[in-house]
Amino acid sequence: MAYRIMKSLISNSMKSNEELSAMADVYYGSGRLTDEQYTEIVTLIGKREET
């Protein structure tokens, strides 16, 4: 569930990359994202253009 939320926020959110990264860190730290999911989310955030 956290993985789908993060992917949706990355593509549809007005949140900054820093805010998204902080959210991903919290989800990962609490065990709600696997290593692979976290890596993918961080990569997607890095490729995202700031709006």
Side-chain angles (χ1 to χ4, degrees), residues 1-3 6 22-35 37-38:
M1 178 88 126
Y3 176 72
M6 287 302 303
M23 289 178 68
D25 291 345
V26 169
Y27 281 137
Y28 182 67
S30 66
R32 299 193 62 164
L33 291 174
T34 65
D35 292 342
Q37 290 172 332
Y38 179 75

Side-chain angles (χ1 to χ4, degrees), residues 1-46:
M1 178 88 126
Y3 176 72
R4 289 187 304 199
I5 291 169
M6 287 302 303
K7 284 193 75 166
S8 177
L9 284 173
I10 291 167
S11 62
N12 300 320
S13 177
M14 297 302 289
K15 292 190 178 294
S16 70
N17 286 357
E18 290 87 20
E19 290 172 312
L20 291 168
S21 292
M23 289 178 68
D25 291 345
V26 169
Y27 281 137
Y28 182 67
S30 66
R32 299 193 62 164
L33 291 174
T34 65
D35 292 342
E36 294 82 19
Q37 290 172 332
Y38 179 75
T39 301
E40 181 180 346
I41 293 296
V42 169
T43 301
L44 290 172
I45 292 169

